[in-house]
Amino acid sequence: MTDLSQRVNEVLQNRARQENQRQWTDFLNRYTLNILFPATVRAKDPTKQLKTNKDLINARLLENGILFEDLQSLPQLQVGVARVVENLMRMGCFESVEVQIDTTPTSTTATLDEAPSSEYPHQLHVLLQEKNWYSLYIGGGFKHEGMEESLNSPARLPKAQFESSATLWNLTGHLDQTLLKYTVDQTSTSTFYLSHERPLYAW
């Protein structure tokens, strides 16, 4: 008898949890937000000046599904925010990217008693922690591609080389990356390499 009542209680509790989950999901799908344009973009550390172009960040928000000046459900907004963060982090220019929604009503004429909070326009804040603008590398090693043949043996030996490089991030504020590389191999042949990349453009 005890086992039967325990199983009945477990079934009832499971149904209650499922019903609560369904109601919560329905609420989230019906809850909409109106996001003001443009989003505010600033450095996470208030003592630092932001290099990144703010219009570029707002363009990325639009490209990844953030609707401005229009109602958008909370799950849709969450998906868009996740895409934006992943997209910006992939650029390699940031230590962290945070997107916050200001839940304080911005309307000065309406009161909380006049309309649900979801109808008020909200401000979107993007907080960026930028990486250091450059990194340097100086070192040497062995290159296993195109190995040289030994004089006394048909065995192939790796090439020794010296390499120095500098990587510059976000110089123009458009998430660009500049790479300068200088190498010298064991035959004293020097090679200089320069590249500059930014979203949608590369030289």
Side-chain angles (χ1 to χ4, degrees):
M1 231 14 224
T2 305
D3 293 341
L4 179 61
S5 61
Q6 185 177 1
R7 287 198 295 269
V8 170
N9 287 333
E10 290 176 354
V11 170
L12 293 176
Q13 290 176 5
N14 187 42
R15 288 181 178 177
R17 284 194 295 268
Q18 291 176 351
E19 179 61 22
N20 289 336
Q21 180 65 33
R22 185 190 65 79
Q23 292 177 357
W24 176 246
T25 303
D26 291 342
F27 169 76
L28 290 179
N29 289 330
R30 287 185 284 106
Y31 191 88
T32 55
L33 292 171
N34 185 7
I35 304 298
L36 289 173
F37 184 83
T40 61
V41 182
R42 63 178 186 268
K44 186 175 181 180
D45 185 350
T47 62
K48 294 184 178 180
Q49 187 174 3
L50 193 68
K51 296 180 297 181
T52 305
N53 184 280
K54 297 179 180 180
D55 292 337
L56 176 64
I57 299 300
N58 274 286
R60 286 299 171 93
L61 292 170
L62 287 167
E63 292 169 0
N64 287 277
I66 304 298
L67 301 180
F68 289 99
E69 308 294 345
D70 196 2
L71 292 179
Q72 186 173 24
S73 71
L74 193 55
Q76 290 174 331
L77 187 61
Q78 289 175 326
V79 171
V81 166
R83 288 176 180 170
V84 170
V85 172
E86 193 274 336
N87 182 277
L88 293 177
M89 290 298 295
R90 195 171 62 241
M91 296 294 101
C93 298
F94 305 106
E95 295 288 350
S96 68
V97 177
E98 296 181 14
V99 180
Q100 302 175 352
I101 300 175
D102 190 348
T103 57
T104 304
T106 56
S107 174
T108 57
T109 58
T111 65
L112 289 175
D113 296 331
E114 295 175 356
S117 60
S118 61
E119 293 184 7
Y120 288 98
H122 297 281
Q123 188 67 53
L124 201 66
H125 303 292
V126 181
L127 307 181
L128 304 175
Q129 183 178 354
E130 296 173 320
K131 286 185 177 180
N132 291 332
W133 69 276
Y134 72 94
S135 67
L136 299 175
Y137 169 80
I138 299 176
F142 295 96
K143 184 177 181 182
H144 293 278
E145 298 177 2
M147 295 184 292
E148 297 289 344
E149 291 188 4
S150 171
L151 295 177
N152 301 322
S153 169
R156 302 175 69 85
L157 301 176
K159 287 183 177 180
Q161 69 176 21
F162 166 80
E163 178 181 316
S164 62
S165 63
T167 305
L168 312 177
W169 282 290
N170 211 12
L171 286 180
T172 67
H174 289 80
L175 309 183
D176 50 305
Q177 179 176 318
T178 304
L179 173 64
L180 302 96
K181 183 187 293 185
Y182 177 75
T183 60
V184 180
D185 62 19
Q186 60 189 10
T187 62
S188 299
T189 302
S190 59
T191 305
F192 181 76
Y193 174 80
L194 169 66
S195 70
H196 179 77
E197 300 180 359
R198 58 189 291 184
L200 304 180
Y201 299 97
W203 293 274

